[in-house]
Amino acid sequence: MLTREEVATCLNVHIDNVSMLCDVGVLKPTKIGKAYMFSQGMLLKFQHDYEGLNVCNRLRALESKKIVEQRRKK
């Protein structure tokens, strides 16, 4: 399990970006006690599903999420 800080390091982004991705539902943390943790499997799935898509801000992350959801329906 990874912390937000570790996920930010893995993705080479700011921790606020990780929080934003959680807020829009792109990243799905697991609550463990008072902390939110991220499984390595979830992070690999995110990297696979969102490869080549732009998730640099809230609007683009929401657009990318719609694309990923449409891909899953096919």
Side-chain angles (χ1 to χ4, degrees), residues 31-65:
K31 188 167 184 176
I32 300 176
K34 293 182 180 181
Y36 286 95
M37 303 292 285
F38 301 84
S39 72
Q40 292 177 355
M42 183 279 313
L43 187 56
L44 290 172
K45 183 169 175 32
F46 163 77
Q47 290 174 319
H48 176 265
D49 290 347
Y50 289 85
E51 182 178 10
L53 298 175
N54 189 342
V55 293
C56 68
N57 61 44
R58 183 175 296 274
L59 178 62
R60 292 182 191 253
L62 287 169
E63 291 171 353
S64 295
K65 182 179 177 189

Side-chain angles (χ1 to χ4, degrees):
M1 297 298 279
L2 303 167
T3 64
R4 284 186 319 147
E5 293 83 2
E6 292 169 329
V7 171
T9 300
C10 289
L11 298 176
N12 198 28
V13 297
H14 193 273
I15 190 169
D16 291 342
N17 197 295
V18 174
S19 296
M20 178 273 299
L21 292 173
C22 291
D23 291 343
V24 299
V26 171
L27 290 178
K28 296 180 178 32
T30 301
K31 188 167 184 176
I32 300 176
K34 293 182 180 181
Y36 286 95
M37 303 292 285
F38 301 84
S39 72
Q40 292 177 355
M42 183 279 313
L43 187 56
L44 290 172
K45 183 169 175 32
F46 163 77
Q47 290 174 319
H48 176 265
D49 290 347
Y50 289 85
E51 182 178 10
L53 298 175
N54 189 342
V55 293
C56 68
N57 61 44
R58 183 175 296 274
L59 178 62
R60 292 182 191 253
L62 287 169
E63 291 171 353
S64 295
K65 182 179 177 189
K66 287 179 186 177
I67 292 169
V68 169
E69 288 172 350
Q70 288 174 350
R71 288 179 186 167
R72 288 182 185 153
K73 289 181 183 179
K74 292 181 180 180

